[in-house]
Amino acid sequence: MINKSLKELAAMLASKDISSVELTQEYLNRIDRHNPEINAYISLDQEKTLAQAAAADQMLAQGTASALTGIPIAQKDIFCAKGWQTTCGSKMLENFIAPYDAGIIERFNAVGSVNLGKTNMDEFAMGSSNETSYYGKVQNPWDRRRVPGGSSGGSAAAVAARLCAAATGTDTGGSIRQPASLCGLSGLKPTYGLASRYGMIAFASSLDQAGPMAKSCEDMALMMNVMTGFDERDSTSLNREKEDYTRDLGKPLAGLRVGLPKEYFAEGLEAGVAKVVEAAIDEYRKLGAEIVDISLPNTMLSIPVYYVLAPAEASSNLSRYDGVRFGHRAAEYDDLMDMYCKSRAEGFGAEVKRRILIGTYVLSAGYYDAYYLKAQQIRRLIAQDFERAFEQCDIILGPTAPSTAFKAGEKADDPVAMYLQDIYTIAVNLAGLPGMSIPAGFAPADDGKELPVGLQVIGNYFDEARMLNAGHAYQQVTDWHTRMPEGIA
Amino acid sequence: MSLSTTDVKRIAHLARIAVSEAEAEQTLQKLSGILGLIEQMQAVDTTGIAPMSHSQDVTQRLREDVVTESNQRELLQSIAPAVENGLYLVPKVIE
């Protein structure tokens, strides 16, 4: 049951082999059993969840069901869901009960999907290990001493440990793809502007994008059909024709031009990861793809550019947490200024504060041109790298992350080392392109433990259907995506 | 570009975040590391390159100037730290 695809689950629900209430209860039981250790969920509300499942059963009985009706989905705790505690991984929002639904949540509700619970994440999505969450670390189901990646670490662990049928994530610099890589699942960040940001707690608005995290590309295509679409309440939402992301699944890959950026295979990439990625590329050769060498010369600059733009936008977005209308307020203070300063000092964790300070600094008087403007200019150079690359190829393949899952605490005290986790993913956000990670095998860690490795697929703007087919074709000839960690029975 | 703890405290004040002396000291080290990383940008010649804020060529949408929100004062204030008679309470700012 727990390894069934969304399509198989939908068929079982349609044929009444199982009801949504039964399926949901099965996942809630699994969560009861494993979440105390794995800590993938921050908040659960069985009553609300089961009421949604019962309503889904009604839809199934009435014949108004669609692909995801009655399917239990884990929602990253960055999405406001009406009546649910919505913390964004922060103490600041510990008491925040969302008064409305995010656009993404509305879409899942409209098709009768079941919200299983809100998943753990790095505080305000700032982190690559889930260690910055106020609600505790998340264990990587493949090795409980290791991190699941971040910031969508709870969603990744929930999918990997089969504590949900599928999950949502958000990706500002790699927050869907890197945890998908470290936990051995499939994760997709769509083209910027396809998924609504309404009610998705803002980190860096020009980069944030929601996407699916699931067991396969086929599952992600079904999730994409629900998650994407124009939302007038999101000022950067793109008004485009609705697409069916399953439309290309099953098309042959013969003649597909696959670009390999030389910068993604250079120094910094672990040998074990490189070997797995190269084996995956060989599979694409066998599937008839044509391999092309390409160059993305400004790759290394994506990290400094990101660590100007993202903190600058974050410092501005997070100024709303003032302890007045919602969120944490300090118990004692002298005056209004003191109330702001203390509430924010108490409500935010160390990494969030660091990024707010960096952002405040680069935006402060006299520094705008040297930092923010400069970063936006280099951002264009990075986007132009991809533009040139896509003249030579249809998709780009490479590693998602430079290493497999690292041990908890290993990089927690060194922000710069942590930031380098996102060296292959950040440029994709800066350019606004779609990118995904799919399981491609295992590499041994320094202690001999075999850990999942993700293959990154980068596509041109709005080319998600082709990317999903490229992943799907690979998942038809390999079984990495069906592997499950031990100890999750 | 090297920061001092005085700079850190000034930036923290701009960001409305209280920092103790010890925190300012610790933060200084971490921020310096990050700023060192950012400094790599300065080696790039960006003369004549238009800054990029969105990947697509889009403009700000406008909507009709009509009321679209309903009154949800009670719901929205139910999550506020301190309210009275439908107003948000803050420390006195005008004598």
Side-chain angles (χ1 to χ4, degrees):
Chain A
M1 168 71 73
I2 57 168
N3 219 17
K4 289 207 182 304
S5 71
L6 295 184
K7 209 166 149 185
E8 287 168 332
L9 289 176
M12 289 173 72
L13 288 166
S15 65
K16 310 275 185 291
D17 286 343
I18 193 168
S19 69
S20 174
V21 168
E22 288 163 347
L23 180 64
T24 302
Q25 190 61 58
E26 163 77 15
Y27 278 110
L28 289 173
N29 293 345
R30 293 184 57 73
I31 293 167
D32 267 351
R33 210 151 57 234
H34 297 292
N35 198 57
E37 284 182 9
I38 294 178
N39 200 28
Y41 289 88
I42 291 176
S43 58
L44 295 159
D45 186 333
Q46 298 220 358
E47 206 176 306
K48 273 200 187 63
T49 298
L50 288 168
Q52 273 195 313
D57 281 329
Q58 290 282 321
M59 288 175 78
L60 285 154
Q62 288 159 3
T64 54
S66 53
L68 297 189
T69 307
I71 303 284
I73 309 272
Q75 299 289 354
K76 186 174 181 179
D77 205 21
I78 199 167
F79 296 106
C80 287
K82 192 169 184 172
W84 284 80
Q85 181 193 21
T86 298
T87 71
C88 217
S90 182
K91 180 184 178 184
M92 183 59 87
L93 293 174
E94 192 173 12
N95 298 317
F96 182 71
I97 308 295
Y100 68 102
D101 283 322
I104 293 291
I105 298 288
E106 271 180 357
R107 289 175 166 274
F108 279 109
N109 287 346
V111 299
S113 298
V114 177
N115 181 354
L116 260 185
K118 309 292 293 294
T119 58
N120 209 335
M121 53 182 288
D122 278 297
E123 185 179 6
F124 286 106
M126 298 177 192
S128 307
S129 68
N130 222 107
E131 291 169 290
T132 73
S133 170
Y134 176 67
Y135 303 92
K137 286 175 195 145
V138 175
Q139 294 179 343
N140 186 320
W142 291 93
D143 179 350
R144 305 295 182 91
R145 297 161 306 162
R146 291 175 190 274
V147 302
S151 67
S152 311
S155 288
V159 173
R162 306 300 191 252
L163 303 182
C164 60
T168 57
T170 60
D171 190 314
T172 303
S175 282
I176 286 176
R177 291 161 287 158
Q178 183 256 10
S181 176
L182 270 48
C183 290
L185 54 127
S186 304
L188 168 66
K189 181 204 87 77
T191 303
Y192 182 84
L194 284 186
S196 169
R197 291 187 299 108
Y198 177 75
M200 184 175 110
I201 296 172
F203 161 18
S205 307
S206 80
L207 305 164
D208 298 341
Q209 192 62 198
M213 302 179 79
K215 298 191 291 285
S216 69
C217 288
E218 183 192 66
D219 285 4
M220 293 207 296
L222 294 170
M223 294 275 284
M224 282 288 286
N225 281 352
V226 172
M227 293 180 76
T228 59
F230 177 61
D231 187 342
E232 63 178 1
R233 300 163 300 183
D234 167 1
S235 67
T236 56
S237 176
L238 297 170
N239 197 350
R240 307 182 80 244
E241 289 268 318
K242 193 78 184 130
E243 284 186 55
D244 175 10
Y245 290 98
T246 65
R247 68 180 187 271
D248 283 350
L249 299 184
K251 282 192 182 165
L253 296 193
L256 181 77
R257 296 172 305 161
V258 169
L260 305 182
K262 66 173 186 217
E263 293 80 7
Y264 285 33
F265 296 88
E267 202 192 329
L269 179 63
E270 270 184 14
V273 174
K275 210 170 136 189
V276 168
V277 171
E278 276 153 22
I281 291 160
D282 276 338
E283 286 295 338
Y284 276 92
R285 265 195 200 98
K286 284 188 223 160
L287 287 165
E290 180 195 327
I291 308 296
V292 191
D293 289 320
I294 58 164
S295 173
L296 300 169
N298 292 299
T299 297
M300 282 312 287
L301 286 167
S302 58
I303 297 225
V305 166
Y306 180 84
Y307 282 97
V308 171
L309 297 181
E313 295 180 21
S315 73
S316 156
N317 274 324
L318 272 61
S319 66
R320 74 190 59 175
Y321 302 103
D322 56 5
V324 175
R325 291 148 303 153
F326 56 86
H328 178 77
R329 179 186 285 199
E332 286 173 36
Y333 39 83
D334 300 329
D335 53 19
L336 186 64
M337 177 63 84
D338 196 41
M339 186 191 91
Y340 291 149
C341 294
K342 281 197 180 127
S343 300
R344 288 165 64 80
E346 293 172 9
F348 293 135
E351 178 64 19
V352 172
K353 285 185 205 171
R354 270 199 289 278
R355 297 207 195 183
I356 291 175
L357 294 179
I358 290 286
T360 304
Y361 176 70
V362 299
L363 290 178
S364 61
Y367 291 113
Y368 184 85
D369 286 2
Y371 293 116
Y372 196 77
L373 194 71
K374 183 94 181 170
Q376 279 194 316
Q377 289 175 311
I378 303 177
R379 181 179 186 179
R380 185 169 299 281
L381 295 177
I382 290 165
Q384 286 170 347
D385 277 0
F386 284 106
E387 206 176 300
R388 271 188 291 273
F390 283 120
E391 286 167 8
Q392 295 169 261
C393 63
D394 303 310
I395 60 167
I396 293 170
L397 293 183
T400 303
S403 69
T404 52
F406 45 95
K407 290 203 178 103
E410 203 179 303
K411 299 183 201 290
D413 281 334
D414 186 353
V416 172
M418 188 73 89
Y419 297 171
L420 288 170
Q421 267 295 304
D422 298 327
I423 178 72
Y424 308 127
T425 50
I426 278 180
V428 174
N429 299 77
L430 292 170
L433 291 163
M436 71 178 188
S437 180
I438 55 174
F442 294 81
D446 41 14
D447 57 4
K449 187 97 187 173
E450 293 286 330
L451 296 168
V453 173
L455 172 73
Q456 186 172 210
V457 182
I458 302 168
N460 211 337
Y461 299 110
F462 312 115
D463 228 359
E464 286 85 352
R466 190 199 319 237
M467 293 161 63
L468 286 163
N469 180 44
H472 179 70
Y474 177 77
Q475 291 179 336
Q476 298 307 296
V477 297
T478 57
D479 68 352
W480 305 115
H481 64 294
T482 65
R483 307 284 180 96
M484 288 191 283
E486 285 169 14
I488 58 153
Chain B
M1 176 190 52
S2 60
L3 290 182
S4 64
T5 50
T6 315
D7 294 325
V8 171
K9 282 187 266 181
R10 183 182 57 84
I11 300 163
H13 178 73
L14 286 173
R16 303 291 185 263
I17 295 175
V19 287
S20 66
E21 202 64 44
E23 281 171 331
E25 197 63 53
Q26 272 185 342
T27 305
L28 174 65
Q29 285 176 20
K30 298 256 162 74
L31 290 195
S32 300
I34 300 167
L35 290 173
L37 183 79
I38 291 172
E39 206 58 19
Q40 293 170 20
M41 290 196 317
Q42 304 308 334
V44 184
D45 180 10
T46 51
T47 319
I49 298 181
M52 170 177 163
S53 59
H54 195 300
S55 62
Q56 308 299 314
D57 188 18
V58 287
T59 49
Q60 183 69 50
R61 284 191 309 277
L62 299 175
R63 63 165 174 82
E64 291 299 310
D65 185 15
V66 291
V67 176
T68 55
E69 291 289 327
S70 55
N71 182 5
Q72 302 184 75
R73 177 186 280 187
E74 269 179 46
L75 175 66
L76 297 176
Q77 292 201 328
S78 68
I79 48 171
V83 288
E84 199 178 294
N85 299 328
L87 303 171
Y88 293 99
L89 291 189
V90 293
K92 201 172 184 179
V93 281
I94 304 167
E95 289 303 324

